[in-house]
Amino acid sequence: FLLIESELDKTFANVFEILKATDSDKLRELASKVGIASISKAHHWAQETWRYGLDTKITISKNLSEPLEFEISKSDALALKKAIEQKSEQFISQENIIGELVGIDVERPGYFHIRSLTGEDVGGKLSETFQTDAEWVININYIAHLSKISTVKYSTGEEKIDWILEKLTVRTEE
């Protein structure tokens, strides 16, 4: 007798695993496996389950096999909701943007504003190592060496982007 795990079986296994997760490491592991969008959906479900005071029982039966049952109480849903709300993921990448320096304030913590050649406005803070004693001329083009920090909330899937200006290099026309 062969046991073949279908995509539907894997989906239910993932759903049950998500609904049982209550710690940060497990949520991170699951997010890398099924995606943050799935964790966000579980948060929405847990929020509504808790809000309406529901206990949930899921029973799955396939052919003549023993049914698989999963139960989650409203207090378990609340624990899942809270765990997901506390979790976010940060991704840091390095980017170079060519653009016009619109403004810069070198007084710590320091801020900058650059308009890229494509018209995108990028602003943020200066890094701790940014050269604040140099004279920066606005309204000319520079190559901005930036750290892009993307933070994704597991509860909503929303992404927040922060920019850190590491260095400016005068752009020489080619």
Side-chain angles (χ1 to χ4, degrees), residues 19-105:
L19 297 180
K20 289 189 281 186
T22 54
D23 71 77
S24 184
D25 291 337
K26 187 64 175 175
L27 286 169
R28 181 181 298 112
E29 174 190 325
L30 287 166
S32 69
K33 181 177 173 184
V34 300
I36 292 175
S38 296
I39 305 298
S40 297
K41 290 291 184 186
H43 174 266
H44 178 73
W45 172 86
Q47 182 173 308
E48 297 304 303
T49 297
W50 174 75
R51 177 182 296 161
Y52 293 107
L54 303 174
D55 292 324
T56 303
K57 180 177 182 180
I58 301 170
T59 305
I60 302 166
S61 182
K62 213 170 120 176
N63 298 333
L64 299 174
S65 65
E66 201 56 39
L68 177 62
E69 292 185 345
F70 181 81
E71 293 183 46
I72 185 165
S73 69
K74 56 188 161 275
S75 61
D76 293 336
L78 178 59
L80 175 63
K81 175 185 167 305
K82 287 181 176 181
I84 293 172
E85 286 172 350
Q86 294 173 2
K87 186 70 185 126
S88 62
E89 198 74 40
Q90 242 185 24
F91 307 94
I92 300 173
S93 60
Q94 304 304 310
E95 294 193 19
N96 293 333
I97 295 177
I98 299 172
E100 176 186 351
L101 182 62
V102 176
I104 189 163
D105 177 5

